[in-house]
Amino acid sequence: MFEVALRLLEKLENHGFRAYVVGGFVRDYLMEVESNDIDICTNAKPKDIRSIFKGSCLPSEDYGSITVILKHIRFEITTFRRESSYIDYRRPEHIEFIDDLEEDLKRRDFLMNTLCIDRTGNIIDIFHGKEDIDGHLIRTVGDSYQKFSEDALRILRAVRFATTLQFHLSDEVYEAILRAKTFLKKISYQRKREELDKIFTSVHVKNGVSLLLKLGLDEELELPRLKYVSNFDDLIGIWVQLDVQEIYPFTNNEKELITKINEALLVDNLNPRVLYTYGLYVNSIAGNMKGISKREITSRYNRLPIKCRMDIVFDGEEISSLLGRKPGPYLKDIFKDLETQILSLKLKNEKDDLMTYLKKMYL
Ligand code: ATP
Ligand code: MG
């Protein structure tokens, strides 16, 4: 990744621009953790970036930032900018493209996110961000209260980084979050969910949730059940416990899953019919929330004689021809009956046994 990034910087510089890797990638590089994308800042304007990386740009609606894919790596290229006064506690009213790296770094959130790498691979550390990385400290670039009131999402970013990197918030950041936290109400639920998901999927999720509670962010985030969450094994499982489907956005698949888990919570997750109906994943989450081990559920699930209708040795056509009837909706009831018989081990899932049973019951 590093090599590809340097080549990309070189390409921009060969066109007469200055360009640096900035932010998360440099932080992760110094900490020797893996990054999934690379942020670049440059004095090249979006139209210049587009013409230099013609074929590799993704269409983007966010002006000033262009996504380029090279060697399967995602680069976010952003023109140096100054941001005017903020509106909505999230967005600057006006963005001005500028020529100066230092000025661009000033608008960023945390000192640890201001480090840059230049074309030759040198680290540029104008604001001493490395000190914070070494000290595992989160401090803002400039006044913390101002940073958080300009863009309240930064509050959640601070908690997210504190969680995933196991860094501490400086006293100033901590106090400023307490003062600015009400502005979180102005941030879209989608953005809040993205940050919360990163906290909830961190290996240090329990510390993250404790920090959210300690800062009293549960109230601002409208998560009254956060203090009762007791199982942290699964992201959707956590959202089920939070019970906020009405206000936070979920995809249709997620909504369906949440409904199923809620249903599975009300029944016996070791019962074969329940295991069969809801499947391993849903039962594991629901069971886990009730203190049944994943191992126990998996071993019961693996012992099921059938795991889905397709596993039954006869298909619909075979059954109807055996019964001398045209296929029709009646097959649904027969399958349901066969499932019950097989799952309760009263009937073996073998052709001879099924044939005898079908003839006896349905001919
Ligand atoms: P990660 O990619 O691991 O989520 P990151 O720090 O790279 O972490 P990005 O969202 O990719 O986060 O942003 C890239 C850089 O842009 C950050 O490192 C930071 O310098 C700056 N940045 C991002 N979001 C904000 C914000 N809300 N306010 C100020 N600066 C920001
Ligand atoms: Mg990044």
Side-chain angles (χ1 to χ4, degrees):
M1 269 178 118
F2 194 80
E3 290 305 316
V4 184
L6 294 189
R7 257 182 282 143
L8 185 144
L9 297 181
E10 208 169 73
K11 194 158 177 182
L12 279 161
E13 303 234 339
N14 288 343
H15 281 81
F17 300 107
R18 279 174 297 126
Y20 306 89
V21 175
V22 65
F25 180 82
V26 191
R27 185 192 67 226
D28 294 342
Y29 173 74
L30 289 172
M31 295 183 67
E32 298 178 6
V33 294
E34 224 171 282
S35 266
N36 27 18
D37 59 6
I38 302 185
D39 301 290
I40 306 281
C41 60
T42 175
N43 63 344
K45 302 273 165 51
K47 66 169 175 22
D48 304 318
I49 303 169
R50 274 186 211 289
S51 84
I52 295 170
F53 297 102
K54 266 179 225 101
S56 339
C57 293
L58 294 188
S60 92
E61 64 276 8
D62 175 15
Y63 70 110
S65 181
I66 290 177
T67 307
V68 168
I69 309 281
L70 287 180
K71 307 249 175 222
H72 307 289
I73 303 167
R74 195 185 163 92
F75 293 91
E76 294 287 339
I77 309 183
T78 309
T79 307
F80 294 155
R81 55 171 85 176
R82 184 183 295 129
E83 294 173 343
S84 70
S85 58
Y86 274 64
I87 44 169
D88 309 336
Y89 303 93
R90 172 73 191 119
R91 279 174 297 134
E93 195 170 9
H94 176 72
I95 288 171
E96 184 192 340
F97 293 141
I98 53 171
D99 201 49
D100 183 36
L101 170 66
E102 181 165 342
E103 194 64 26
D104 178 79
L105 295 177
K106 277 190 198 153
R107 67 161 178 101
R108 292 175 184 270
D109 48 7
F110 306 113
L111 292 176
M112 63 177 185
N113 288 342
T114 61
L115 283 145
C116 299
I117 295 175
D118 71 12
R119 167 190 59 161
T120 63
N122 273 333
I123 304 264
I124 298 173
D125 187 9
I126 299 173
F127 294 114
H128 307 289
K130 176 132 193 327
E131 272 175 29
D132 284 16
I133 293 178
D134 293 340
H136 291 191
L137 188 61
I138 298 178
R139 288 189 293 184
T140 47
V141 183
D143 183 76
S144 298
Y145 179 74
Q146 193 188 336
K147 281 281 162 175
F148 294 138
S149 47
E150 278 173 359
D151 174 1
L153 191 73
R154 292 170 182 158
I155 296 176
L156 277 186
R157 282 175 57 88
V159 177
R160 188 249 292 189
F161 289 125
T163 307
T164 56
L165 305 173
Q166 289 292 279
F167 279 22
H168 350 268
L169 306 177
S170 73
D171 291 344
E172 190 201 341
V173 163
Y174 194 96
E175 296 303 322
I177 290 181
L178 295 180
R179 282 166 61 212
K181 64 184 178 181
T182 58
F183 305 136
L184 273 174
K185 293 229 169 74
K186 313 277 184 185
I187 303 291
S188 81
Y189 290 102
Q190 180 62 40
R191 305 304 292 252
K192 290 192 273 208
R193 210 201 129 183
E194 284 164 18
E195 289 302 324
L196 286 168
D197 278 355
K198 290 181 186 172
I199 296 173
F200 293 159
T201 49
S202 161
V203 281
H204 307 293
V205 49
K206 286 188 187 167
N207 298 348
V209 169
S210 302
L211 184 57
L212 287 169
L213 292 171
K214 203 164 125 199
L215 289 161
L217 300 186
D218 48 337
E219 198 185 321
E220 313 304 329
L221 294 166
E222 296 159 85
L223 299 173
R225 305 203 60 78
L226 187 67
K227 51 180 161 306
Y228 304 117
V229 172
S230 55
N231 192 292
F232 299 94
D233 292 345
D234 182 88
L235 176 63
I236 287 295
I238 295 176
W239 284 109
V240 168
Q241 294 168 81
L242 292 171
D243 193 17
V244 285
Q245 291 85 274
E246 303 304 322
I247 53 173
Y248 276 82
F250 293 94
T251 63
N252 286 340
N253 275 346
E254 288 170 335
K255 282 184 196 156
E256 209 175 295
L257 198 54
I258 291 173
T259 307
K260 280 191 183 162
I261 296 168
N262 276 318
E263 285 170 13
L265 276 170
L266 303 174
V267 287
D268 173 8
N269 306 105
L270 296 176
N271 174 296
R273 181 89 225 185
V274 171
L275 283 165
Y276 179 85
T277 307
Y278 291 103
L280 182 59
Y281 179 57
V282 168
N283 278 296
S284 300
I285 298 176
N288 218 311
M289 283 160 71
K290 292 188 276 186
I292 311 170
S293 78
K294 191 167 177 179
R295 207 161 150 218
E296 169 101 38
I297 292 183
T298 310
S299 109
R300 294 273 188 123
Y301 181 81
N302 288 339
R303 274 186 273 150
L304 290 179
I306 48 172
K307 303 210 168 50
C308 64
R309 191 159 286 184
M310 297 275 280
D311 288 347
I312 298 179
V313 291
F314 277 135
D315 65 18
E317 240 168 69
E318 287 167 312
I319 296 176
S320 51
S321 83
L322 181 80
L323 301 177
R325 295 171 65 180
K326 276 199 182 124
Y330 69 92
L331 283 170
K332 217 173 149 191
D333 294 329
I334 295 185
F335 272 120
K336 220 169 173 159
D337 179 29
L338 290 179
E339 286 168 345
T340 308
Q341 300 301 321
I342 296 170
L343 287 167
S344 62
L345 307 180
K346 287 183 189 143
L347 185 62
K348 277 205 185 115
N349 184 28
E350 284 169 12
K351 288 218 164 171
D352 286 349
D353 296 51
L354 286 192
M355 200 145 36
T356 313
Y357 179 81
L358 285 167
K359 281 186 179 156
K360 185 173 132 209
M361 300 301 289
Y362 296 99
L363 256 187

